[in-house]
Amino acid sequence: MDLMEKNMELIEVQKLEGHTDRVWNAAWNPVSPILASCSGDNTVRIWEQSSLSRSWSCKTVLEETHTRTVRSCSWSPSGKLLATASFDGTTAIWEDLGDEFECISTLEGHENEVKSVSWNASGSYLATCSRDKSVWIWEVLGGNEYDCASVLNGHTQDVKMVLWHPTMDVLFSCSYDNTIKVWWSEDDDGDYQCVQTLDESTNGHSSTVWAISFNAAGDKMVTCSDDLTLKIWRADISMMHSGEGYAPWTHVCTLSGYHDRTIFSTHWSSDDIIASGAGDDAIGLFVESKQHDSVNGPSFNLLLKKEKAHEMDINSVQWSPSKENMLLASASDDGMVKIWQLETIP
Amino acid sequence: MVSGLINENPIVYEIKERRDVRAYSSNTDELSVDAIDQLEVFDILIAHHIRDIKDPEHPYSLEQLKVLTEDSVEVDDTKSHVRVTFTPTVEHCSMATIIGLCVRVKLMRSLPPRYKIDIRVAPGTHATEAAVNKQLNDKERVAAALENPNLVEMVDECLSPSFE
């Protein structure tokens, strides 16, 4: 499907109001039509889509647990658990009991604000990161028990986001120190080491890196930064799958000139559309160019830019995992979560 | 926190007479003249908002210490963008981040939410200029800092009106 040849538009499906402060993050449940959002109002809101009317409404508010901003939220691969990371230094684990959510565990240890939390593909590990410059790996044990398996030091500044690779137990982190670090346990014994650092010398970013996202296959990655660019990276992961050791990530291309304020979020959809959300209140959508330049390698083009998608900075953009339609959620400083549909205009 | 003051003997400047803002708003002449006046009015308004911020260490305003002047403020109303450049009194001023934070908070509370605010130290006036600027413009760091009650108290103290 060559999207560049069609006329596409990002249509606003619904505006979800309720949070009383900026919304930092939105996360789609992997198995049900449920969306979680978290905010500077210290709460997490769970939005559900009605099977009859198809409209979204707030099913429940997770409050009175975190005592400060909830910065990010992430669903477990099974969709039954939600992890929430907060400036109060803790990460809470919530279980969906149907009628309500129960906080079944609280992970403590970081010295200050926790910025991000991520589940690995099998749901056996969690990772968190913080302004304390460290990345923690937690093992998911039975009976609502979580154990700190590893404390990873290496970043020299505030770590903004952690993300597990979609198919392998390789962990990625990005930071205020302008780098992206890759953490791997070679002997699979839980001893994680930093095996690669993507910095300016390897065509990396020149300012804070805010987010990372992988394509479905896990052989490409996009990162976004305060340096106003998005960068695409690739690795020969088949090499890793066949046990030939670590395959390093290399820079493919840099997308610049599309946003004139910090790009806070980026997400790679399962049908290969990259979304970006920035401080210029706009959402950008990018696709890989069909013209494969064997000299310069793959390049990406702007599919469309939705200006004034929100009234203030956009902090998070997330594609829905649903195969049916191309739905995108966005969260903003204006206190709103919006659901968009990418449509072809006749 | 250091027990002694960072700058024991600040230079205190005479401040200019304030222009009367209302004289501009009643101008109904040609569009082009209006447009320029609008910008000027905005400049003054913003400067009025921030020039009275008190220095964290001394009972003087940032304007009196020439940390902020009218030229410190650049406004583009059509782009909803404002940039404030301030000059710390000493090169190693560890108060620079507090001052920058105060300016940001004052503007956040005074300007419409559509405004994008950039704060920086005047180039060449601070030993760790890049580091200070980066911190002041990382909104996540600013948000976390403003959840710290001690810091908020300090900022509110600097922003409270002083009665002479």
Side-chain angles (χ1 to χ4, degrees):
Chain A
M1 162 175 55
D2 188 6
L3 295 168
M4 288 301 289
E5 280 167 25
K6 302 174 193 236
N7 247 338
M8 313 234 44
E9 180 58 73
L10 203 57
I11 311 285
E12 186 181 313
V13 169
Q14 201 176 340
K15 190 157 63 178
L16 309 178
E17 294 179 83
H19 280 297
T20 55
D21 202 304
R22 65 181 5 137
V23 190
W24 280 108
N25 195 210
W28 296 92
N29 185 289
V31 303
S32 331
I34 295 174
L35 182 68
S37 63
C38 58
S39 165
D41 65 12
N42 306 355
T43 74
V44 177
R45 278 176 178 258
I46 308 292
W47 312 87
E48 207 174 37
Q49 187 181 34
S50 149
S51 44
L52 289 169
S53 67
R54 311 296 291 157
S55 77
W56 296 79
S57 60
C58 184
K59 180 184 167 192
T60 181
V61 180
L62 310 181
E63 50 195 343
E64 260 134 61
T65 297
H66 285 301
T67 53
R68 286 182 59 181
T69 285
V70 189
R71 177 61 181 89
S72 86
C73 51
S74 175
W75 295 95
S76 66
S78 67
K80 295 206 196 82
L81 302 173
L82 180 70
T84 57
S86 169
F87 282 2
D88 66 13
T90 73
T91 303
I93 313 293
W94 306 81
E95 188 174 347
D96 185 355
L97 301 173
D99 273 350
E100 46 155 25
F101 278 70
E102 186 188 317
C103 178
I104 57 167
S105 190
T106 302
L107 311 181
E108 294 176 353
H110 280 296
E111 288 169 30
N112 47 49
E113 302 93 55
V114 190
K115 305 286 176 100
S116 170
V117 58
S118 173
W119 299 83
N120 71 339
S122 61
S124 59
Y125 282 118
L126 262 172
T128 56
C129 65
S130 159
R131 178 168 63 87
D132 68 9
K133 306 173 195 161
S134 69
V135 171
W136 288 46
I137 296 182
W138 308 81
E139 208 181 329
V140 183
L141 309 165
N144 299 339
E145 289 277 311
Y146 294 80
D147 220 17
C148 172
S150 207
V151 175
L152 309 175
N153 296 303
H155 280 296
T156 57
Q157 294 277 0
D158 180 11
V159 190
K160 298 299 196 186
M161 182 175 174
V162 274
L163 187 67
W164 286 98
H165 187 270
T167 63
M168 305 180 289
D169 281 344
V170 183
L171 184 63
F172 292 73
S173 58
C174 61
S175 163
Y176 184 102
D177 69 11
N178 309 350
T179 73
I180 296 141
K181 282 185 181 285
V182 187
W183 312 85
W184 183 50
S185 171
E186 184 167 0
D187 300 320
D188 216 21
D189 56 358
D191 181 23
Y192 280 79
Q193 302 294 332
C194 177
V195 289
Q196 198 181 4
T197 299
L198 305 174
D199 59 11
E200 254 185 293
S201 69
T202 51
N203 275 306
H205 290 288
S206 55
S207 190
T208 300
V209 188
W210 282 95
I212 306 167
S213 180
F214 293 96
N215 66 346
D219 63 345
K220 292 213 193 85
M221 161 174 89
V222 58
T223 56
C224 63
S225 164
D226 178 61
D227 68 9
L228 314 183
T229 74
L230 291 136
K231 285 179 183 281
I232 313 288
W233 310 81
R234 64 137 79 105
D236 181 6
I237 62 164
S238 56
M239 205 176 112
M240 284 194 77
H241 279 302
S242 58
E244 286 161 54
Y246 179 71
W249 290 81
T250 56
H251 174 261
V252 169
C253 67
T254 296
L255 309 177
S256 49
Y258 300 101
H259 289 291
D260 57 7
R261 302 287 299 177
T262 304
I263 307 174
F264 291 108
S265 176
T266 183
H267 197 226
W268 201 313
S269 80
S270 54
D271 35 29
D272 289 322
I273 307 171
I274 296 172
S276 62
D280 58 6
D281 312 345
I283 294 173
L285 299 182
F286 303 85
V287 289
E288 192 166 341
S289 167
K290 284 224 113 185
Q291 289 125 2
H292 222 252
D293 189 335
S294 52
V295 172
N296 294 318
S299 67
F300 286 75
N301 299 318
L302 180 76
L303 177 64
L304 70 89
K305 189 175 179 197
K306 186 77 187 176
E307 304 271 12
K308 277 279 162 261
H310 279 271
E311 285 165 38
M312 293 173 74
D313 290 10
I314 295 171
N315 299 317
S316 172
V317 283
Q318 292 280 303
W319 290 102
S320 161
S322 156
K323 303 287 178 194
E324 296 180 347
N325 37 33
M326 292 191 260
L327 281 185
L328 181 77
S330 61
S332 164
D333 276 359
D334 64 12
M336 305 286 164
V337 175
K338 286 192 182 184
I339 299 181
W340 309 83
Q341 174 127 358
L342 182 61
E343 283 176 12
T344 324
I345 333 173
Chain B
M1 285 285 291
V2 192
S3 49
L5 294 176
I6 303 297
N7 187 358
E8 304 262 325
N9 299 300
I11 304 168
V12 183
Y13 299 83
E14 287 271 332
I15 54 171
K16 295 202 296 208
E17 279 278 314
R18 304 264 169 106
R19 280 180 283 177
D20 187 359
V21 171
R22 283 162 299 182
Y24 288 91
S25 58
S26 59
N27 189 331
T28 49
D29 285 340
E30 304 134 40
L31 272 168
S32 56
V33 181
D34 256 345
I36 297 165
D37 281 346
Q38 284 281 3
L39 274 172
E40 281 188 28
V41 168
F42 234 110
D43 246 44
I44 294 160
L45 271 174
I46 290 186
H48 271 175
H49 285 306
I50 60 178
R51 79 210 307 173
D52 288 330
I53 299 172
K54 297 204 289 294
D55 180 272
E57 285 193 325
H58 305 282
Y60 298 112
S61 73
L62 296 182
E63 186 188 22
Q64 286 172 311
L65 296 171
K66 278 226 161 137
V67 175
L68 287 173
T69 66
E70 252 165 43
D71 297 325
S72 298
V73 183
E74 295 161 78
V75 186
D76 185 337
D77 191 50
T78 52
K79 287 197 181 143
S80 303
H81 183 234
V82 60
R83 182 166 74 171
V84 177
T85 305
F86 68 98
T87 306
T89 54
V90 282
E91 231 186 64
H92 295 275
C93 179
S94 60
M95 286 284 143
T97 35
I98 308 271
I99 293 168
L101 193 59
C102 289
V103 173
R104 180 176 284 284
V105 172
K106 184 72 181 188
L107 288 175
M108 270 161 50
R109 291 176 182 169
S110 318
L111 296 174
R114 64 185 164 93
Y115 260 86
K116 307 295 178 186
I117 302 166
D118 288 326
I119 315 279
R120 60 172 191 165
V121 290
T125 65
H126 196 276
T128 61
E129 182 179 314
V132 171
N133 288 342
K134 193 171 184 178
Q135 245 196 337
L136 288 174
N137 294 294
D138 180 317
K139 79 170 184 204
E140 189 187 62
R141 293 289 281 265
V142 171
L146 294 175
E147 285 185 350
N148 175 338
N150 294 328
L151 205 45
V152 174
E153 198 183 312
M154 203 184 230
V155 168
D156 281 339
E157 178 57 41
C158 294
L159 298 184
S160 64
S162 46
F163 302 102
E164 270 146 85

